[in-house]
């Protein structure tokens, strides 16, 4: 259990900051930030930038084989006149989200802030405003943490080792890749991001897989030595509380503070990308889209229902994971009404049922066909998705007694019996509505796992 783990670690770990992540000992503030993060459970992912303009998703440059030179034209069109940072941040707040993870530079290389290390940035667009700064200020005002997505892969720069890259092969780059130079560039940009925008909740790296061996080769290791120890110690030296995660689909490496899964919950591999085991000691975050695509896509009109998303959030928590839910706003700065509606529904549900999500740990049983469990202190939260008119059986119930049982939304008592170590919640003749939460208050722990 994460909470138990933190408690024990807090006792033994002091603020020792190692220079190299190989022998990384997280600082006390970093441990505190991990605890905050694991309790937060729900964040907003924002994929937005120059790639939003063509309306074909954030991989458009690669997918349509656009050269870096031609793609650079998008900088002249980036002018999101309808963008209202106050409204975007408020939308996340109303949805019950505790943090925002903003794409600051995706694989196309367009930087959303005032950076001196690349001309391909928002200040050279007609919009001419530092979007990271706008988010940093507004997130502080509305008391929500800001995390920054940062791509390790770059389809536009010559010095990125594109010769060994699996993607971006139609960028028309003729200059030779030079990782020493590219690493300097990334360090410069990360230093800006961690110096000019106040406290940053975390850095979310992506793109490692671009340098891995092709499908079919058993060696999944990187062809490139990314020198993560240098990157990670720079970040932790600048902001020790800043959490580092890397979407490399591997077991977490030294220096990383959380583990992420893309379009999968821990233990699943529906995306075909999630081969890694879930960490038993780091906070975990699953990221997922509301529609199909991450970045704005005109063809993408299939939205998951509010009910599916509520249940995905619940299942994430039941597996001990956060959910980072994505929106890919329109190029003009509008957010699709379909996204807004779903976020509002999640917010309304959390208003009533938030206690069963925030600060909880995984259920003692894994998710079941009827729903799943989360736990906190002496409470077990039973999330009913669909019991199909059948009794709910909680086998190997870890407590001797159930002192109280009730519906979370209105406190109505629920009859639950405990027989031979199985708690039985009888099928309700009125059939519970989807995502109904029943609280079981317990005493006398039998086993804790
Ligand atoms: O930012 C979003 C995506 O753009 C980015 N991560 C999320 C959060 C992302 N998209 N795809 N991926 C990460 C991984 C993609 C891997 C693959 Fe491939 C691309 C599988 C097949 C093509 C490169 C080539 C890696 C394996 C083969």
């Amino acid at each position: 259990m994460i909470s138990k783990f933190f408690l024990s670690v807090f006792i033994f770990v002091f603020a020792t900051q190692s220079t190299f992540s190989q022998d990384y000992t997280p600082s006390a503030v970093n441990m505190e930030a991990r605890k905050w993060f694991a309790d937060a459970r729900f964040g907003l992912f924002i994929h937005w930038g120059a790639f939003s303009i063509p309306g074909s998703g954030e991989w458009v440059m690669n997918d349509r084989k656009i050269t870096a030179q031609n793609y650079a034209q998008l900088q002249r069109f980036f002018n999101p006149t309808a963008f209202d940072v106050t409204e975007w941040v408020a939308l996340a707040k109303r949805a019950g989200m505790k943090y925002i993870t903003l794409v600051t530079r995706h694989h196309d290389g367009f930087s959303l802030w005032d950076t001196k290390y690349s001309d391909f940035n928002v200040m050279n667009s007609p919009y001419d405003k530092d979007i990271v700064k706008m988010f940093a200020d507004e997130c502080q005002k509305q008391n929500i943490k800001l995390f920054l997505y940062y791509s390790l892969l770059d389809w536009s720069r010559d010095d990125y080792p594109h010769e060994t890259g699996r993607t971006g092969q139609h960028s028309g780059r003729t200059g030779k890749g030079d990782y020493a130079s590219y690493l300097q560039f990334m360090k410069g940009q990360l230093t800006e991001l961690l110096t000019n925008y106040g406290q940053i909740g975390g850095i979310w790296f992506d793109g490692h897989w671009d340098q891995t061996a092709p499908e079919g080769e058993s060696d999944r290791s990187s062809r490139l030595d990314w020198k993560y120890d240098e990157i990670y110690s720079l970040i932790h030296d600048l902001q020790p509380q800043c959490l580092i995660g890397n979407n490399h689909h591997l077991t977490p490496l030294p220096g990383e503070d959380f583990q992420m899964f893309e379009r999968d919950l821990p233990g699943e591999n529906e995306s075909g990308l999630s081969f890694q085991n879930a960490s038993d000691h780091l906070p975990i975050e699953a990221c997922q889209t509301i529609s199909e695509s991450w970045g704005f896509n005109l063809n993408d009109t299939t939205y998951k229902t509010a009910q599916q998303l509520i249940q995905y959030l619940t299942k994430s928590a039941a597996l001990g994971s956060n959910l980072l839910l994505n929106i890919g706003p329109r190029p003009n700065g509008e957010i699709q009404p379909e996204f807004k509606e779903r976020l509002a529904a999640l917010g309304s549900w959390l208003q009533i049922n938030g206690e069963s999500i925030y600060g909880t740990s995984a259920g003692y049983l894994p998710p079941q066909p009827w729903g799943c469990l989360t736990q906190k202190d002496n409470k077990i939260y039973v999330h009913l998705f669909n019991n199909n008119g059948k009794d709910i059986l909680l086998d190997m119930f870890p407590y001797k007694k159930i002192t109280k049982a009730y519906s979370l939304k209105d406190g109505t008592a629920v009859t639950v019996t405990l027989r031979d170590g199985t708690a039985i919640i009888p099928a309700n003749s009125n059939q519970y509505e989807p995502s109904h939460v029943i609280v079981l208050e317990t005493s006398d722990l039998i086993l804790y796992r």
Side-chain angles (χ1 to χ4, degrees):
M1 293 289 160
I2 279 176
S3 53
K4 261 200 155 179
F5 165 76
F6 279 111
L7 201 71
S8 50
V9 172
F10 264 127
I11 298 167
F12 295 108
V13 172
F14 297 90
T16 48
Q17 182 64 45
S18 64
T19 318
F20 289 99
S21 56
Q22 291 308 326
D23 44 75
Y24 174 58
T25 307
S27 62
V29 285
N30 188 283
M31 294 304 291
E32 226 172 284
R34 291 183 190 186
K35 167 86 176 99
W36 178 90
F37 182 63
D39 284 346
R41 280 290 179 251
F42 193 28
L44 179 68
F45 212 171
I46 302 178
H47 274 73
W48 191 55
F51 55 69
S52 309
I53 299 168
S56 291
E58 77 289 354
W59 274 57
V60 60
M61 178 178 175
N62 179 80
D63 295 350
R64 294 213 335 230
K65 304 187 169 130
I66 305 172
T67 62
Q69 199 182 1
N70 289 339
Y71 190 85
Q73 289 191 70
L74 289 179
Q75 181 165 245
R76 304 163 64 172
F77 315 137
F78 189 74
N79 195 14
T81 48
F83 173 53
D84 180 347
V85 72
T86 308
E87 184 45 35
W88 285 29
V89 173
L91 185 73
K93 287 285 286 190
R94 286 197 303 271
M97 290 155 158
K98 304 293 186 194
Y99 59 100
I100 292 176
T101 304
L102 176 71
V103 168
T104 61
R105 175 175 146 277
H106 205 265
H107 313 329
D108 63 356
F110 185 68
S111 301
L112 278 190
W113 74 99
D114 186 2
T115 174
K116 66 175 184 224
Y117 296 98
S118 163
D119 292 335
F120 193 36
N121 81 64
V122 68
M123 306 310 286
N124 294 326
S125 75
Y127 194 60
D128 192 19
K129 290 192 195 78
D130 184 332
I131 287 171
V132 176
K133 178 89 176 104
M134 293 165 86
F135 271 98
D137 291 348
E138 194 57 36
C139 286
Q140 199 186 0
K141 255 191 223 153
Q142 298 197 36
N143 189 28
I144 183 166
K145 277 199 207 288
L146 181 62
F147 286 56
L148 306 177
Y149 170 108
Y150 186 83
S151 176
L152 295 158
L153 152 65
D154 194 302
W155 291 326
S156 290
R157 288 181 65 92
D158 276 332
D159 58 359
Y160 175 78
H162 51 93
E163 297 88 346
T164 47
R166 295 175 68 178
T167 63
Q169 291 309 311
H170 304 278
S171 59
R173 283 171 288 185
T174 49
K176 210 170 144 347
D178 174 357
Y179 191 63
S181 154
Y182 184 68
L183 180 61
Q184 264 323 102
F185 156 74
M186 289 202 290
K187 285 182 181 175
Q189 284 211 318
L190 287 163
T191 302
E192 287 177 336
L193 290 172
L194 291 158
T195 308
N196 301 334
Y197 302 95
Q199 276 214 353
I200 297 303
I203 301 288
W204 209 106
F205 286 112
D206 198 4
H208 169 100
W209 36 260
D210 189 50
Q211 298 284 340
T212 56
E215 243 53 67
E217 286 190 20
S218 56
D219 181 10
R220 306 186 56 80
S221 61
S222 179
R223 297 166 178 185
L224 176 71
D225 175 6
W226 293 90
K227 301 198 191 301
Y228 287 134
D229 51 348
E230 291 183 32
I231 300 174
Y232 293 173
S233 47
L234 170 79
I235 295 169
H236 284 140
D237 285 347
L238 288 168
Q239 295 205 18
Q241 88 298 334
C242 181
L243 302 177
I244 297 175
N246 189 332
N247 189 30
H248 45 42
H249 311 289
L250 304 167
T251 306
L253 301 170
E256 295 171 4
D257 305 306
F258 68 102
Q259 182 187 29
M260 64 270 271
F261 286 81
E262 180 169 333
R263 291 184 199 271
D264 269 318
L265 295 177
E268 294 179 350
N269 188 7
E270 284 177 25
S271 67
L273 300 169
S274 309
F275 299 96
Q276 70 278 34
N277 289 329
S279 170
D280 61 358
H281 66 286
L282 294 182
I284 295 172
E285 180 192 64
C287 57
Q288 186 54 279
T289 51
I290 295 181
S291 46
E292 285 297 317
S293 164
W294 296 98
F296 177 62
N297 190 331
L298 283 166
N299 285 329
D300 185 10
T301 50
T302 316
Y303 299 90
K304 297 173 185 73
T305 64
Q307 209 42 249
Q308 284 173 324
L309 294 169
I310 290 169
Q311 295 184 1
Y312 205 77
L313 171 65
T314 306
K315 246 179 106 175
S316 306
L319 287 164
S321 168
N322 287 11
L323 174 63
L324 181 63
L325 188 62
N326 181 73
I327 57 170
R330 293 168 172 159
N332 66 350
E334 285 172 353
I335 295 177
Q336 294 82 323
E338 293 86 350
F339 289 151
K340 289 186 177 170
E341 280 163 22
R342 275 128 186 108
L343 294 180
L346 278 150
S348 308
W349 185 84
L350 280 164
Q351 277 279 324
I352 297 166
N353 298 292
E355 183 194 318
S356 68
I357 299 292
Y358 304 121
T360 59
S361 40
Y364 83 91
L365 287 178
Q368 305 287 317
W370 48 260
C372 57
L373 306 175
T374 53
Q375 294 179 206
K376 181 162 52 186
D377 303 326
N378 68 328
K379 291 180 182 165
I380 292 187
Y381 299 95
V382 184
H383 299 262
L384 298 179
F385 296 166
N386 187 356
N387 60 324
N388 283 319
K390 292 195 192 130
D391 292 353
I392 308 288
L393 305 182
L394 305 181
D395 290 332
M396 294 185 298
F397 197 73
Y399 295 90
K400 276 191 199 138
K401 247 195 229 155
I402 295 169
T403 52
K404 223 170 151 190
Y406 52 92
S407 291
L408 183 55
K409 69 168 188 181
D410 55 12
T412 314
V414 175
T415 312
V416 179
T417 49
L418 190 53
R419 198 184 309 140
D420 301 331
T422 297
I424 303 159
I425 305 172
N428 187 331
S429 52
N430 299 320
Q431 186 75 30
Y432 293 111
E433 81 271 19
S435 308
H436 186 97
V437 183
I438 292 172
V439 188
L440 307 181
E441 290 192 6
T442 59
S443 70
D444 300 335
L445 187 66
I446 299 173
L447 62 103
Y448 193 79
R449 35 175 228 168

